[in-house]
Structure formats: structure tokens, C-alpha cells
Amino acid sequence: MNSKVLVLSESKITNIIFDLISLSVITLTPALSHLTSIPLYLLEPMRIMLIITLLHTSRKNAYVLAFVLPLFSLLISNHPSLIKTILIAAELSLNVYLFFLLITKINNKLIATFISILLSKIFYYTVKFILISSGLMKEDLVNTPLYIQLLIAFILSIYTFWVLRKRELADSIHYDL
């Protein structure tokens, strides 16, 4: 009998775990918002999961999630609209790209992360404004208050700084031994 065994590396298992957690968060956010009467979707769960995944898995996996999370949300809840799904996927993908670009160009990881989020948001709102102006989208330009978006960006930047700093310290200790 000829049998094949599927062997997963530790990094692939990590990717799968983070992807499943991310998809679960996106699935549960509407239900938890309804149950608690707290609009948890205002906390940008897709961006939070993207940044966490970006830091703890691979670049490739972060790009996959940038596309999959908005599409998954559309498929399970019929929200957001298809046009907004594409726009969010583009914004999150740009966030990943800018993060990896800026993290190598700017010495301060907190600022690099914050700028990558800020620039991807500027892209999002510019394109959304064009889509609304052309009549392709019918909604308010800003649905989540800007102060919440800035707060989330700042918190994620601090988290990124903390994770990367901790990783650098661990690497320097490892090299010293």
C-alpha cells in the first residue's frame, strides 16, 4: 500500500493557526457587536489581525490575509459591498507593502508602522472619495471616526515596536552566547 504523509513545517502550522484565528475574529465580530451592543467593527479588526499576522508569520501570509479577510467578510456576511471589499483588500495589501518597505528605510519601527498605516488610509480615502463622487459607492466617506483610526494605528505601532524590539533583543542575546 502506498501512503503519503503530509508534513507541515512549524512556520506553516503557525501560518495556519494565525489565519484561522483571523478568520474567526472576522466571523465573530458582527455577532459579538450585536450581542454586546458595542460596535467592535469600529476597532478595525481586519487591520489588527493583519498587523499581528504580519509580525508573527510571513510576508506572503500577510499578503494572502490582506486579500482573504475582506473577501471572507463579504462571503459570510454580505458586507462590505464588492467594490468596498476590493478597496479594503487593496488598502491592506498596500499597508503590508509599505510596512516592509518603510521598516527597512526608517530606523524607528514605531514611526515606520504608523506611516505605513497612515499612507494606506490616505490611499483608501482618496479612492473612496473618487468612487463616491463618481456614484459607484453610496455611503459616507468616513464611517469610523478618525480619532479611533488614529488611536488604533498608534496602538498597533506600539505593538509592532514592542514585538520587533523584543525579537532584536532575543537575537542579540542569542548571538552573544
Side-chain angles (χ1 to χ4, degrees):
M1 181 186 236
N2 212 359
S3 64
K4 295 188 179 193
V5 176
L6 177 65
V7 178
L8 295 174
S9 66
E10 185 177 331
S11 66
K12 288 195 188 299
I13 292 170
T14 301
N15 287 356
I16 291 168
I17 290 169
F18 274 91
D19 293 351
L20 290 174
I21 291 170
S22 297
L23 293 172
S24 298
V25 166
I26 299 310
T27 301
L28 294 174
T29 297
L32 290 174
S33 293
H34 180 72
L35 284 173
T36 62
S37 298
I38 300 170
L40 296 172
Y41 52 86
L42 293 178
L43 298 178
E44 297 191 86
M46 285 189 207
R47 182 168 323 277
I48 291 170
M49 296 315 302
L50 178 71
I51 297 295
I52 290 171
T53 299
L54 181 138
L55 292 169
H56 298 286
T57 68
S58 67
R59 180 185 308 214
K60 180 181 172 185
N61 194 52
Y63 277 116
V64 168
L65 270 185
F67 285 106
V68 169
L69 290 178
L71 181 61
F72 186 73
S73 179
L74 174 67
L75 294 174
I76 64 159
S77 67
N78 203 26
H79 181 78
S81 67
L82 181 59
I83 290 175
K84 192 169 179 182
T85 296
I86 294 167
L87 179 56
I88 293 170
E91 176 203 4
L92 294 176
S93 298
L94 180 61
N95 195 166
V96 173
Y97 172 78
L98 290 171
F99 172 82
F100 283 109
L101 175 71
L102 294 173
I103 210 80
T104 61
K105 305 276 184 203
I106 299 174
N107 197 24
N108 187 317
K109 289 158 183 42
L110 187 142
I111 294 194
T113 304
F114 189 80
I115 290 172
S116 73
I117 294 170
L118 188 64
L119 290 176
S120 66
K121 285 190 170 296
I122 290 170
F123 165 80
Y124 173 83
Y125 283 114
T126 302
V127 174
K128 188 175 181 184
F129 176 78
I130 292 167
L131 292 170
I132 291 169
S133 297
S134 67
L136 293 172
M137 276 181 104
K138 297 198 183 320
E139 62 177 64
D140 294 333
L141 180 61
V142 178
N143 296 325
T144 301
L146 293 176
Y147 73 90
I148 292 175
Q149 294 180 54
L150 287 171
L151 181 62
I152 296 297
F154 186 67
I155 290 168
L156 290 173
S157 298
I158 291 171
Y159 178 73
T160 300
F161 175 80
W162 178 75
V163 167
L164 295 179
R165 179 74 176 141
K166 187 175 172 186
R167 194 175 296 157
E168 286 173 356
L169 289 173
D171 287 347
S172 69
I173 291 170
H174 176 69
Y175 289 127
D176 289 345
L177 297 177

